[in-house]
Amino acid sequence: MADLLGQLEALAKGAREAIGSAADEKALEDLRVRFLGKKGELSAVLRGMGALPAEERPRVGEVANRVRDEVEALLAGAKSRLDARKLEAELAGPPIDVTLPGRRVLPRGHRHPITRATEDISAIFARLGYEVASGPEIELDWFNFEALNIPPDHPARDMQDTFYVEASTLGDGAPDGSVLLRTHTSPVQIRAMQRLGVPPVRIICPGRVYRSDYDQTHSPMFHQVEGLCVGEGITFADLKGTLAAFARAYFGEGTRTRFRPSYFPFVEPGAEVDVSCSICGGTGRIPVRAQGQAGEPPQTRRCGTCKETGWLEVLGAGMVHPKVLENGGFDPKRYSGFAFGMGVERMAMLRYGIDDLRLYFENDLRFLEQF
Ligand code: PHE
């Protein structure tokens, strides 16, 4: 035992001297390995403990621990001394110009096509006097369905379409079925009316929405832009004029719009809005380079984007239902309004000629770098 204690004593003495005079971090690290490393001096002593009688081991163990603590403290002390010295040397040396441009030229990134389309759409409505509103993606059933006049037995409420949150596990008393991932941006209509309280309400809401669907034209998460305009004397003509102006600004000056009667529980009357196809110019056919002789009719091929109809369905719209105005806190006898909702993925697909929606979310740079 005396032998091992002597070795520990010598180890500590050696460490004090060596660490005290270590010149840099590298030297310090070498000393750490020499004294405390797996194959270092302390380990060697500890290995010797195996040969001791059991009653002597605690004493040697105790001293070994003390020596290890001391060496660690010496190393830490030396490290902070070296750090301080280094800092002083830097401060005393020539100054660094932090305003110099970087040496490495990194390629500049760019916005995702969905972000770009969202910003383009928002900018157009901003010019028409709309402000951007937002709402939560985890939404109450009341805002997403009930307040929008969507009855309890409506198919959209089916588990097949809607992602419900297991509300009973949240611990705040909300029953299952009352909390969900919003299936559209329309709940923001109610939230915006409640927040603003007085007309005019002119908001658009871009944001993520969720539905249980996945194929070439459906993704479980996608983006919509909602629009709402409420005030005195707002008519269907305002809705048509607004959306026609938007379509021209987004798809190009010559774009025509067409309204078809449709049903959404939160509008009355409701419409589905088509724009003339941006790919074929609304003709349904795309010219192919003429190979025939002069005098022959020009060759064309079928436009796959509009399926030869010349029209693209781009959004849902209508006059805000009186019950919805009421739920937003507006007197439907005095005020009227219109609302519309569009899918951003689809708007970008139609503008950039993208044919598979899943491309947006696969993060393949060969796709993303084309924008
Ligand atoms: N919320 C509807 C949808 O997701 C779109 C819509 C919005 C329709 C506003 C009419 C008015 O399909």
Side-chain angles (χ1 to χ4, degrees):
M1 170 160 97
D3 195 26
L4 287 184
L5 290 176
Q7 284 178 33
L8 285 170
E9 184 52 43
L11 190 158
K13 187 159 170 283
R16 274 176 224 127
E17 281 162 17
I19 293 172
S21 58
D24 55 27
E25 263 178 60
K26 165 86 175 66
L28 219 48
E29 175 57 17
D30 289 347
L31 289 171
R32 194 191 61 75
V33 173
R34 175 177 146 200
F35 293 115
L36 303 181
K38 254 201 224 118
K39 292 179 187 147
E41 294 186 14
L42 187 68
S43 296
V45 176
L46 292 178
R47 264 194 301 279
M49 273 172 72
L52 288 182
E55 66 275 14
E56 293 184 351
R57 280 183 210 157
R59 169 90 186 107
V60 177
E62 202 185 301
V63 176
N65 281 339
R66 240 188 8 244
V67 168
R68 180 195 291 115
D69 289 348
E70 185 186 343
V71 174
E72 276 171 357
L74 286 167
L75 288 167
K79 167 98 170 73
S80 48
R81 262 198 316 282
L82 286 175
D83 284 349
R85 211 185 295 159
K86 200 161 116 195
L87 181 63
E88 297 219 351
E90 269 170 26
L91 290 173
I96 296 168
D97 183 354
V98 294
T99 67
L100 279 174
R103 294 234 173 89
R104 191 126 160 246
V105 183
L106 293 172
R108 201 195 293 180
H110 52 79
R111 293 166 301 160
H112 189 278
I114 295 297
T115 309
R116 213 171 116 171
T118 304
E119 290 177 0
D120 290 349
I121 295 166
S122 304
I124 294 168
F125 282 105
R127 278 187 300 214
L128 294 173
Y130 285 69
E131 72 171 288
V132 174
S134 66
E137 290 171 27
I138 300 173
E139 183 55 285
L140 293 171
D141 174 275
W142 191 81
F143 284 104
N144 194 81
F145 292 131
E146 196 78 36
L148 291 168
N149 194 36
I150 302 176
D153 57 356
H154 194 278
R157 292 191 164 199
D158 200 303
M159 297 289 280
Q160 243 70 61
D161 298 309
T162 302
F163 291 112
Y164 284 92
V165 172
E166 280 184 34
S168 57
T169 65
L170 299 176
D172 56 6
D176 281 343
S178 64
V179 182
L180 43 78
L181 300 187
R182 67 179 179 193
T183 59
H184 51 179
T185 41
S186 299
V188 180
Q189 290 186 28
I190 307 289
R191 291 184 176 274
M193 283 190 276
Q194 290 186 347
R195 177 172 59 83
L196 293 168
V198 287
V201 176
R202 246 186 337 242
I203 57 112
I204 54 157
C205 167
R208 281 190 263 281
V209 301
Y210 303 84
R211 287 182 205 175
S212 180
D213 242 337
Y214 192 45
D215 62 34
Q216 194 172 328
T217 51
H218 297 90
S219 149
M221 185 283 300
F222 60 103
H223 299 75
Q224 288 189 333
V225 174
E226 189 82 11
L228 175 71
C229 171
V230 178
E232 247 167 305
I234 304 287
T235 70
F236 203 96
D238 297 312
L239 170 61
K240 284 191 88 168
T242 302
L243 291 182
F246 164 73
R248 285 195 302 269
Y250 187 77
F251 289 111
E253 259 322 297
T255 307
R256 286 163 292 131
T257 20
R258 158 175 107 166
F259 284 63
R260 284 177 292 110
S262 184
Y263 175 71
F264 300 96
F266 34 95
V267 289
E268 181 58 37
E272 213 117 13
V273 183
D274 302 339
V275 297
S276 53
C277 179
S278 51
I279 305 295
C280 65
T283 62
R285 307 285 304 175
I286 294 174
V288 288
R289 193 167 311 174
Q291 304 143 325
Q293 277 130 12
E296 269 182 26
Q299 303 264 315
T300 61
R301 65 176 169 83
R302 173 179 188 275
C303 175
T305 307
C306 64
K307 303 201 175 69
E308 222 170 343
T309 63
W311 293 99
L312 303 168
E313 183 188 321
V314 292
L315 45 82
M319 300 306 290
V320 182
H321 193 287
K323 281 199 193 146
V324 174
L325 286 172
E326 233 163 61
N327 288 331
F330 283 74
D331 179 1
K333 288 199 205 64
R334 184 156 171 213
Y335 300 112
S336 58
F338 62 78
F340 54 85
M342 66 187 94
V344 180
E345 280 75 3
R346 187 162 163 75
M347 297 297 282
M349 283 168 99
L350 297 175
R351 184 147 159 198
Y352 305 127
I354 298 163
D355 58 6
D356 188 336
L357 174 138
R358 290 171 293 196
L359 287 167
Y360 287 129
F361 307 119
E362 284 169 355
N363 290 336
D364 187 331
L365 288 178
R366 289 170 303 178
F367 169 73
L368 294 174
E369 281 174 351
Q370 296 175 50
F371 296 92

